[in-house]
Amino acid sequence: MGGGRGGGGFQYQMRPQRGQDYEQPVEITLQEAYHGTTRVLQKEDQRLEVKIPVGAKTGTRVRMSGEGGPGPAGGPAGDLYLRVTVLPDPRFARQGDDLHTSLQVDLYTMVLGGEVRVPTLTGEVVLTIPAGTQNGRSFRLRGKGMPRLRKSGESGDLYARVKVRLPANLTDRQQELFEELQQLAQDQ
Protein backbone atom coordinates (compact mmCIF):
# COMPACT_ATOMS: atom_id res chain seq x y z
CA MET A 1 0.00 0.00 0.00
CA GLY A 2 2.17 2.58 -1.09
CA GLY A 3 1.84 6.18 -1.24
CA GLY A 4 3.61 8.51 -3.36
CA ARG A 5 6.97 9.86 -2.82
CA GLY A 6 8.35 10.35 0.59
CA GLY A 7 7.67 13.39 2.69
CA GLY A 8 3.91 13.35 2.28
CA GLY A 9 3.75 17.15 1.83
CA PHE A 10 1.39 18.94 -0.47
CA GLN A 11 2.38 21.83 -2.57
CA TYR A 12 -0.25 24.47 -3.18
CA GLN A 13 0.00 26.69 -6.11
CA MET A 14 -2.14 29.79 -5.79
CA ARG A 15 -4.41 30.43 -8.70
CA PRO A 16 -4.29 33.87 -10.22
CA GLN A 17 -7.10 36.00 -8.79
CA ARG A 18 -8.62 39.26 -9.84
CA GLY A 19 -7.53 42.28 -7.83
CA GLN A 20 -9.78 44.33 -5.57
CA ASP A 21 -12.06 47.01 -7.02
CA TYR A 22 -11.65 50.51 -5.62
CA GLU A 23 -14.19 53.31 -5.45
CA GLN A 24 -13.36 57.03 -5.49
CA PRO A 25 -15.93 59.81 -4.91
CA VAL A 26 -15.89 62.75 -7.32
CA GLU A 27 -17.97 65.95 -7.33
CA ILE A 28 -19.06 67.79 -10.47
CA THR A 29 -21.22 70.83 -11.17
CA LEU A 30 -24.56 70.67 -12.97
CA GLN A 31 -22.92 72.49 -15.91
CA GLU A 32 -20.22 69.77 -16.06
CA ALA A 33 -22.92 67.07 -15.91
CA TYR A 34 -24.69 68.78 -18.82
CA HIS A 35 -21.63 68.95 -21.08
CA GLY A 36 -19.57 66.04 -19.72
CA THR A 37 -16.18 66.63 -18.13
CA THR A 38 -12.88 65.03 -17.22
CA ARG A 39 -11.07 64.58 -13.95
CA VAL A 40 -7.37 63.86 -13.46
CA LEU A 41 -6.50 61.37 -10.73
CA GLN A 42 -3.09 60.56 -9.35
CA LYS A 43 -2.42 56.84 -8.86
CA GLU A 44 0.99 56.19 -7.42
CA ASP A 45 3.32 57.69 -10.04
CA GLN A 46 0.87 57.97 -12.91
CA ARG A 47 -1.84 60.44 -13.89
CA LEU A 48 -5.19 59.05 -14.98
CA GLU A 49 -7.57 61.16 -17.04
CA VAL A 50 -11.18 60.05 -16.57
CA LYS A 51 -14.07 61.11 -18.77
CA ILE A 52 -17.35 61.68 -16.94
CA PRO A 53 -20.17 61.26 -19.46
CA VAL A 54 -22.77 63.79 -20.55
CA GLY A 55 -25.90 63.49 -18.39
CA ALA A 56 -24.15 62.01 -15.34
CA LYS A 57 -26.21 62.25 -12.16
CA THR A 58 -25.56 61.68 -8.49
CA GLY A 59 -24.88 57.97 -8.08
CA THR A 60 -23.48 57.45 -11.59
CA ARG A 61 -20.46 55.15 -11.51
CA VAL A 62 -17.69 55.55 -14.07
CA ARG A 63 -15.52 52.43 -14.50
CA MET A 64 -11.82 52.49 -15.21
CA SER A 65 -10.93 48.95 -16.15
CA GLY A 66 -7.74 47.55 -14.65
CA GLU A 67 -7.00 50.56 -12.43
CA GLY A 68 -7.97 48.92 -9.12
CA GLY A 69 -5.85 46.73 -6.85
CA PRO A 70 -3.24 44.34 -8.25
CA GLY A 71 -4.28 40.73 -8.79
CA PRO A 72 -2.68 38.13 -6.49
CA ALA A 73 -0.51 35.45 -8.16
CA GLY A 74 -0.36 37.39 -11.38
CA GLY A 75 -4.10 37.80 -11.77
CA PRO A 76 -5.70 40.78 -13.51
CA ALA A 77 -6.01 44.07 -11.66
CA GLY A 78 -9.38 45.12 -10.29
CA ASP A 79 -11.29 48.16 -11.53
CA LEU A 80 -11.52 51.71 -10.25
CA TYR A 81 -15.01 53.21 -10.03
CA LEU A 82 -15.66 56.91 -9.73
CA ARG A 83 -18.88 57.58 -7.81
CA VAL A 84 -20.32 60.89 -9.07
CA THR A 85 -22.05 63.50 -6.94
CA VAL A 86 -23.60 66.44 -8.82
CA LEU A 87 -23.44 69.58 -6.70
CA PRO A 88 -26.58 71.73 -6.22
CA ASP A 89 -27.03 74.59 -8.66
CA PRO A 90 -28.49 77.93 -7.49
CA ARG A 91 -30.57 78.36 -10.67
CA PHE A 92 -31.96 74.88 -11.26
CA ALA A 93 -33.37 71.94 -9.32
CA ARG A 94 -32.87 68.58 -11.02
CA GLN A 95 -35.45 65.81 -10.98
CA GLY A 96 -34.24 62.93 -13.11
CA ASP A 97 -33.43 64.49 -16.46
CA ASP A 98 -35.81 67.42 -15.98
CA LEU A 99 -34.77 70.82 -14.64
CA HIS A 100 -36.95 73.24 -12.69
CA THR A 101 -36.43 76.97 -12.28
CA SER A 102 -38.37 80.01 -11.05
CA LEU A 103 -38.78 83.28 -12.93
CA GLN A 104 -39.70 86.65 -11.52
CA VAL A 105 -42.10 88.26 -14.02
CA ASP A 106 -43.48 91.77 -13.63
CA LEU A 107 -47.20 92.25 -13.01
CA TYR A 108 -47.77 94.00 -16.34
CA THR A 109 -46.40 91.07 -18.37
CA MET A 110 -48.48 88.60 -16.35
CA VAL A 111 -51.65 90.63 -16.97
CA LEU A 112 -51.07 91.85 -20.54
CA GLY A 113 -48.76 89.11 -21.88
CA GLY A 114 -45.28 89.49 -23.30
CA GLU A 115 -41.91 87.82 -23.53
CA VAL A 116 -39.38 86.92 -20.83
CA ARG A 117 -35.92 85.42 -21.00
CA VAL A 118 -35.43 82.01 -19.40
CA PRO A 119 -31.94 80.80 -18.41
CA THR A 120 -30.88 77.35 -19.62
CA LEU A 121 -27.56 75.53 -19.32
CA THR A 122 -26.70 76.62 -22.88
CA GLY A 123 -27.85 80.26 -22.69
CA GLU A 124 -31.13 82.10 -22.58
CA VAL A 125 -34.30 81.35 -24.53
CA VAL A 126 -37.37 83.53 -25.00
CA LEU A 127 -40.67 82.40 -23.48
CA THR A 128 -43.97 83.98 -24.51
CA ILE A 129 -46.23 84.66 -21.52
CA PRO A 130 -49.93 84.73 -22.49
CA ALA A 131 -52.13 87.54 -21.17
CA GLY A 132 -53.77 86.69 -17.86
CA THR A 133 -51.13 84.22 -16.71
CA GLN A 134 -51.71 83.20 -13.11
CA ASN A 135 -48.99 83.40 -10.47
CA GLY A 136 -47.22 80.05 -10.03
CA ARG A 137 -47.99 78.67 -13.49
CA SER A 138 -45.31 76.38 -14.94
CA PHE A 139 -44.24 76.39 -18.57
CA ARG A 140 -42.59 73.34 -20.12
CA LEU A 141 -39.67 73.92 -22.47
CA ARG A 142 -39.19 70.60 -24.28
CA GLY A 143 -35.66 69.29 -24.63
CA LYS A 144 -34.10 72.09 -22.54
CA GLY A 145 -33.38 69.85 -19.53
CA MET A 146 -30.46 67.48 -18.93
CA PRO A 147 -29.14 65.18 -21.65
CA ARG A 148 -30.09 61.56 -20.94
CA LEU A 149 -27.13 59.49 -19.80
CA ARG A 150 -25.89 57.19 -22.59
CA LYS A 151 -28.83 58.15 -24.86
CA SER A 152 -27.34 60.48 -27.40
CA GLY A 153 -29.64 63.20 -28.68
CA GLU A 154 -32.28 62.76 -25.95
CA SER A 155 -32.88 65.35 -23.24
CA GLY A 156 -35.29 66.02 -20.43
CA ASP A 157 -37.41 69.17 -20.18
CA LEU A 158 -37.05 72.49 -18.39
CA TYR A 159 -40.00 73.66 -16.30
CA ALA A 160 -40.11 77.41 -15.65
CA ARG A 161 -42.50 78.50 -12.88
CA VAL A 162 -43.48 82.16 -13.09
CA LYS A 163 -43.83 84.25 -9.97
CA VAL A 164 -45.31 87.72 -10.13
CA ARG A 165 -43.06 90.59 -9.15
CA LEU A 166 -45.25 93.40 -7.84
CA PRO A 167 -44.27 96.97 -8.63
CA ALA A 168 -42.57 98.83 -5.80
CA ASN A 169 -42.53 102.56 -5.16
CA LEU A 170 -45.62 103.43 -7.18
CA THR A 171 -45.97 106.99 -8.42
CA ASP A 172 -49.12 108.86 -7.48
CA ARG A 173 -50.47 108.34 -11.00
CA GLN A 174 -49.78 104.58 -10.89
CA GLN A 175 -51.52 104.40 -7.51
CA GLU A 176 -54.55 106.19 -8.99
CA LEU A 177 -54.67 103.78 -11.94
CA PHE A 178 -54.57 100.75 -9.66
CA GLU A 179 -57.38 102.24 -7.58
CA GLU A 180 -59.39 102.76 -10.77
CA LEU A 181 -58.79 99.13 -11.78
CA GLN A 182 -59.86 98.00 -8.34
CA GLN A 183 -63.07 100.03 -8.58
CA LEU A 184 -63.79 98.65 -12.06
CA ALA A 185 -63.34 95.08 -10.79
CA GLN A 186 -65.73 95.72 -7.89
CA ASP A 187 -68.36 97.25 -10.18
CA GLN A 188 -68.55 94.12 -12.38
Side-chain angles (χ1 to χ4, degrees):
M1 305 212 183
R5 299 181 237 167
F10 289 97
Q11 283 193 349
Y12 288 101
Q13 184 172 1
M14 231 175 116
R15 287 187 187 153
Q17 296 179 5
R18 189 174 179 282
Q20 183 177 355
D21 290 341
Y22 295 147
E23 192 167 278
Q24 170 74 39
V26 62
E27 293 180 337
I28 63 173
T29 65
L30 188 64
Q31 191 80 28
E32 288 174 319
Y34 185 88
H35 295 287
T37 188
T38 58
R39 287 291 188 267
V40 176
L41 304 174
Q42 192 70 34
K43 182 187 172 195
E44 296 161 9
D45 59 346
Q46 69 183 46
R47 288 170 37 105
L48 303 173
E49 189 170 300
V50 186
K51 290 185 188 292
I52 297 172
V54 168
K57 52 187 81 168
T58 295
T60 296
R61 290 176 66 189
V62 178
R63 178 176 166 233
M64 296 187 65
S65 183
E67 297 298 341
D79 297 332
L80 172 63
Y81 290 91
L82 296 185
R83 189 180 65 252
V84 175
T85 298
V86 180
L87 299 170
D89 187 278
R91 301 169 300 163
F92 303 102
R94 183 175 184 179
Q95 294 177 354
D97 294 322
D98 294 331
L99 295 176
H100 296 260
T101 191
S102 292
L103 295 174
Q104 294 287 320
V105 179
D106 65 70
L107 175 67
Y108 313 108
T109 302
M110 297 282 276
V111 172
L112 302 173
E115 293 182 340
V116 294
R117 296 192 171 281
V118 181
T120 72
L121 287 169
T122 57
E124 292 184 333
V125 296
V126 174
L127 172 66
T128 300
I129 305 289
T133 295
Q134 295 297 308
N135 189 42
R137 178 175 171 188
S138 282
F139 291 88
R140 178 180 176 189
L141 288 81
R142 289 183 189 266
K144 296 296 181 184
M146 293 297 292
R148 297 196 197 286
L149 183 63
R150 296 181 182 89
K151 292 185 179 177
S152 182
E154 294 183 27
S155 293
D157 299 325
L158 172 63
Y159 292 88
R161 169 166 273 147
V162 293
K163 294 184 178 180
V164 69
R165 183 179 61 240
L166 296 175
N169 305 320
L170 294 175
T171 65
D172 290 341
R173 178 68 181 133
Q174 288 171 323
Q175 182 74 32
E176 287 173 19
L177 289 171
F178 273 110
E179 288 169 0
E180 280 182 46
L181 283 171
Q182 182 183 33
Q183 188 60 48
L184 286 171
Q186 290 173 355
D187 291 343
Q188 287 183 345

